[in-house]
Amino acid sequence: MAAEEENDVVELEESITKEKTTKKKKISISKTQDDLMVFLAGIKGISEVMKKRLHKVLGSQGITDPRGIKTHTLKQLMELPGVSENTAKLLLEEVESNQGKLFLSLDEREQIEVKRKKIMTGSLELDELIGGGIPTGTFVELYGSPQSGKTQICYTISANCLLPKEFGGLEAGVIWLDTEGSFNTQRLKQIISYYEYTHGIKNVKTNRFMVANTRTLAQVELALKEAGSIIPKNRVKLMIIDSLMDPFRAEYGGLGELAVRQKHLNKLLHMLMRLAEAYDIAVVYTNQVMANPDPFATAMDKVMPTGGFILGHASDIRIWLRRATSKIRNQHDAPNARRALITDCGWLPQNECHFSLGPFGVCDVDQEANHIKLAGELGVLFESVSEGEETEAKTEFATLD
Ligand SMILES: Nc1ncnc2c1ncn2[C@@H]1O[C@H](COP(=O)(O)OP(=O)(O)OP(=O)(O)O)[C@@H](O)[C@H]1O
Ligand SMILES: [Mg+2]
């Protein structure tokens, strides 16, 4: 081959390789075009350079989805590096206009509420009490004395949220903030195994479950920030905080600090509200009880949940959990029967129901004996968790495995 021809071939080969790499590059750019990039591209009034910078800055805050912008206030957005008031306003306006109309008719609003998914509790009676399960987009407070069943409800709704849709689950992710260090991996796996066994499900996708050890308020806030990127990735529909007030009680003591504590609680609840609204998540938190200082309190008000009015206003459904009376326990052969009373809800009456805590989590009272029998038969499969055995969750989010 002549030298000239040889040069041409080399040039051609080079140009083909160049074209290939450019094509490759183009493909890889379009592949990385996430929802946030597409969203930013559609905003008028922000330069292209600024959009690229915004993508990076928002990403560093765990915002990988336009809905994540809604979890920030105008002030919080303005605190991000290089984000002016005008840019922050444009971002929020665009996010709101993407969500559709601000005002809705009664029928339109009803359509949204009907579409809300419901998480089953494991007990048909308890589901019925709260209108068919725990609806996404709501704040549910479970309060009661130790062993009243708060954490067991959290385990069972977590398992039900992970279950495939054809088995009544949401096939969605769960985020669990463990503020008391009491989360037990084996207990959740035991309940999941029960559903796998009874429904014949091969594998429940447990990798959508994430737990973080958040013993301090700083860790809770950090976890909520990190949750912003986990929620869209794992399609999270349930967030559990067990328990909400524990870190507040540990970090703020005495009446002198009450006002500051309540201000802090309010701030945290608003962070949660923005997450719940932006991603349509059910937020379920447990709470302890304290003696009511009011000397004229009725029998029903003798104990009250901690957290004061701030928490009371935030909770959409407040449920008081107690041990069932001996009459109910004997009548149903259910020594572990519990009572659940709705003490405050804007759309549900103050009704009560009974449920049980069995080897497979929450169940109906008439099922407790059956569950114990089944657990005995399948003893090896559902090896009981020895008392006090705890699996520490990591400070950062960790999967079940
Ligand atoms: N493996 C199991 N098999 C059967 N029942 C269990 C099992 N594990 C827990 N329970 C039941 O759950 C009860 C504890 O309930 P739970 O953990 O929900 O308490 P809690 O309300 O969260 O209390 P605390 O305020 O101490 O956290 C036990 O007393 C027992 O009745
Ligand atoms: Mg508990």
Side-chain angles (χ1 to χ4, degrees):
M1 199 189 286
E4 239 177 58
E5 264 180 67
E6 218 172 83
N7 273 348
D8 279 350
V9 171
V10 172
E11 258 179 44
L12 188 69
E13 272 173 2
E14 268 177 8
S15 79
I16 290 171
T17 339
K18 221 174 170 182
E19 209 181 305
K20 272 188 185 164
T21 18
T22 350
K23 263 189 192 161
K24 241 188 192 167
K25 258 191 186 161
K26 267 186 190 159
I27 290 166
S28 72
I29 285 171
S30 66
K31 263 189 180 167
T32 55
Q33 270 205 347
D34 49 37
D35 288 350
L36 183 62
M37 218 183 239
V38 175
F39 166 80
L40 291 170
I43 307 180
K44 289 184 188 119
I46 299 181
S47 74
E48 292 307 308
V49 182
M50 188 58 196
K51 282 177 187 174
K52 276 188 191 149
R53 204 179 297 158
L54 271 176
H55 186 263
K56 218 169 165 181
V57 171
L58 293 172
S60 72
Q61 296 300 304
I63 303 173
T64 52
D65 183 296
R67 287 172 298 176
I69 295 170
K70 273 190 86 172
T71 63
H72 286 61
T73 58
L74 180 73
K75 196 170 156 239
Q76 284 169 332
L77 286 173
M78 281 164 62
E79 280 165 6
L80 301 179
V83 179
S84 67
E85 186 177 348
N86 191 37
T87 308
K89 274 185 183 161
L90 281 171
L91 281 172
L92 287 174
E93 275 167 20
E94 187 71 17
V95 143
E96 285 304 336
S97 65
N98 265 18
Q99 302 277 305
K101 296 190 284 180
L102 192 58
F103 280 101
L104 301 173
S105 70
L106 207 55
D107 287 343
E108 287 167 333
R109 174 73 192 219
E110 191 184 16
Q111 282 309 308
I112 293 178
E113 285 171 18
V114 164
K115 274 189 200 150
R116 281 201 173 133
K117 296 173 187 81
K118 294 198 170 145
I119 306 165
M120 294 184 305
T121 61
S123 153
L124 293 174
E125 279 205 36
L126 188 53
D127 285 348
E128 202 175 307
L129 181 82
I130 49 181
I134 294 173
T136 54
T138 48
F139 273 38
V140 178
E141 179 183 351
L142 305 170
Y143 69 94
S145 49
Q147 303 198 346
S148 54
K150 305 180 291 289
T151 305
Q152 301 306 309
I153 294 184
C154 294
Y155 284 130
T156 320
I157 54 176
S158 293
N160 273 296
C161 187
L162 294 166
L163 285 192
K165 286 180 188 156
E166 61 262 46
F167 299 104
L170 261 57
E171 221 168 313
V174 180
I175 279 183
W176 184 305
L177 304 191
D178 177 23
T179 64
E180 295 181 348
S182 63
F183 178 79
N184 188 301
T185 313
Q186 291 312 311
R187 181 66 179 138
L188 178 57
K189 283 194 168 179
Q190 206 172 25
I191 297 168
I192 293 172
S193 309
Y194 163 73
Y195 285 106
E196 283 178 334
Y197 178 79
T198 49
H199 294 319
I201 312 168
K202 279 267 155 14
N203 265 320
V204 173
K205 284 186 187 141
T206 52
N207 58 348
R208 287 207 183 119
F209 179 92
M210 298 296 275
V211 54
N213 189 351
T214 50
R215 300 300 285 266
T216 66
L217 284 170
Q219 284 173 330
V220 171
E221 278 162 17
L222 188 70
L224 289 184
K225 208 171 138 192
E226 249 189 65
S229 59
I230 296 173
I231 291 168
K233 202 171 83 199
N234 284 8
R235 285 206 329 104
V236 170
K237 284 287 157 203
L238 171 65
M239 180 178 287
I240 303 244
I241 307 172
D242 187 23
S243 69
L244 179 65
M245 291 310 294
D246 198 60
F248 283 99
R249 292 170 98 176
E251 288 177 43
Y252 294 98
L255 274 177
E257 287 184 317
L258 195 60
V260 200
R261 185 194 86 169
Q262 291 304 85
K263 212 173 146 195
H264 197 164
L265 173 64
N266 199 25
K267 190 180 143 213
L268 192 101
L269 286 168
H270 275 87
M271 270 174 97
L272 280 168
M273 276 173 203
R274 287 194 294 272
L275 275 176
E277 199 207 325
Y279 298 104
D280 189 30
I281 295 172
V283 180
V284 177
Y285 40 85
T286 65
N287 192 6
Q288 293 102 347
V289 284
M290 56 182 239
N292 192 339
D294 183 356
F296 302 107
T298 60
M300 211 183 90
D301 296 329
K302 269 213 168 96
V303 293
M304 56 191 283
T306 63
F309 289 123
I310 300 267
L311 188 57
H313 287 305
S315 306
D316 295 311
I317 310 177
R318 294 195 111 174
I319 306 174
W320 183 19
L321 303 169
R322 277 172 293 170
R323 204 174 169 78
T325 57
S326 54
K327 190 179 159 209
I328 292 285
R329 283 186 273 137
N330 294 335
Q331 192 183 327
H332 295 275
D333 185 20
N336 262 326
R338 301 288 192 270
R339 297 159 79 176
L341 171 74
I342 295 185
T343 52
D344 189 12
C345 178
W347 63 88
L348 294 168
Q350 273 199 345
N351 267 347
E352 186 180 55
C353 84
H354 291 98
F355 65 95
S356 251
L357 304 174
F360 311 125
V362 172
C363 63
D364 280 314
V365 276
D366 54 5
Q367 287 301 311
E368 189 185 317
N370 286 344
H371 279 206
I372 291 171
K373 195 166 158 254
L374 182 65
E377 285 165 12
L378 304 166
V380 186
L381 183 59
F382 305 119
E383 211 170 272
S384 159
V385 186
S386 60
E387 229 164 276
E389 185 197 325
E390 281 171 9
T391 313
E392 275 261 317
K394 295 200 180 99
T395 305
E396 280 143 28
F397 279 104
T399 61
L400 259 188
D401 293 330

